[in-house]
Amino acid sequence: MKFIKILILVLCLASCAPIYVNYDYEKRTDFSTYKTYNFYDDMKTGLSGLDEKRLLSILETKLNTMGFSKSETPDFLIDIASNEFQENRNSTIGVGVGGGGGRGGIGGGLSIGIPVGQSKVNREIIIEFVDDSKTGLFWQAKSESAYNPKAKPQKREAKLKAIVDKVLAEYPPQE
């Protein structure tokens, strides 16, 4: 019974992997002037078709709750790009064999590091706000989080929602 409780705890912690976000923005931008948005027509998001639809829908919903509206003549355009990568394994088990010098002073040894566990797949999603008429790129967020390519649609949607919530938590930037 104790093993099952530990296993459930480990699974919960693994499923709640953190989302890291880095922001950058043009300091001279007056963010209060931006009220309408749209997406670039030719975005190459790097996401599957279904994940792209999920992300755009979640992003639209969040932006609408923040007071923005989608427009055919927007104040700014949104560009999205992503990529997947494998994180290097850091965990190894060391196995060592050694010998003693004895009276002859001859010694020896052998050490081997054996990788433990699987490599993690991470996904980076970059969201950029661009004002082509004024400053060009004025705000950017890069998120990085664990990614399970075999996750069910509900889990994918929940993960994308968490990413969007965290990415837009710092918009507009506070000086």
Side-chain angles (χ1 to χ4, degrees):
M1 188 65 173
K2 184 176 181 179
F3 175 74
I4 292 173
K5 288 180 184 179
I6 292 172
L7 181 63
I8 290 171
L9 178 65
V10 168
L11 289 175
C12 287
L13 291 174
S15 68
C16 300
I19 300 168
Y20 301 101
V21 179
N22 290 317
Y23 304 95
D24 198 5
Y25 61 94
E26 178 61 48
K27 290 190 309 185
R28 296 171 287 162
T29 301
D30 181 4
F31 289 91
S32 66
T33 62
Y34 297 108
K35 303 291 181 201
T36 60
Y37 70 92
N38 208 329
F39 298 96
Y40 276 104
D41 291 331
D42 58 348
M43 278 193 303
K44 306 255 188 293
T45 64
L47 300 170
S48 71
L50 292 172
D51 278 345
E52 182 176 319
K53 285 173 71 172
R54 288 180 188 107
L55 179 61
L56 295 180
S57 174
I58 292 165
L59 193 53
E60 283 185 40
T61 300
K62 181 68 174 178
L63 288 169
N64 292 340
T65 62
M66 293 173 67
F68 295 96
S69 58
K70 192 172 181 183
S71 170
E72 292 302 315
T73 56
D75 298 328
F76 67 96
L77 293 169
I78 300 173
D79 193 16
I80 299 170
S82 74
N83 61 63
E84 296 173 18
F85 58 94
Q86 286 196 338
E87 191 175 282
N88 291 332
R89 292 186 255 187
N90 292 336
S91 301
T92 59
I93 294 178
V95 178
V97 177
R103 290 187 182 248
I106 300 174
L110 171 67
S111 180
I112 301 171
I114 302 170
V116 177
Q118 298 177 335
S119 295
K120 293 180 183 177
V121 178
N122 286 350
R123 176 186 276 162
E124 177 183 62
I125 297 178
I126 302 166
I127 300 175
E128 297 179 333
F129 291 180
V130 180
D131 180 351
D132 284 335
S133 66
K134 293 180 187 172
T135 61
L137 176 64
F138 66 91
W139 185 83
Q140 179 186 67
K142 291 182 181 182
S143 71
E144 183 182 317
S145 60
Y147 171 65
N148 179 1
K150 297 178 183 177
K152 297 199 181 292
Q154 298 85 350
K155 290 217 182 245
R156 287 174 180 252
E157 187 169 348
K159 183 68 163 195
L160 291 171
K161 183 176 181 336
I163 290 169
V164 167
D165 286 345
K166 187 142 185 184
V167 161
L168 292 177
E170 297 293 324
Y171 185 87
Q174 305 299 317
E175 296 283 334

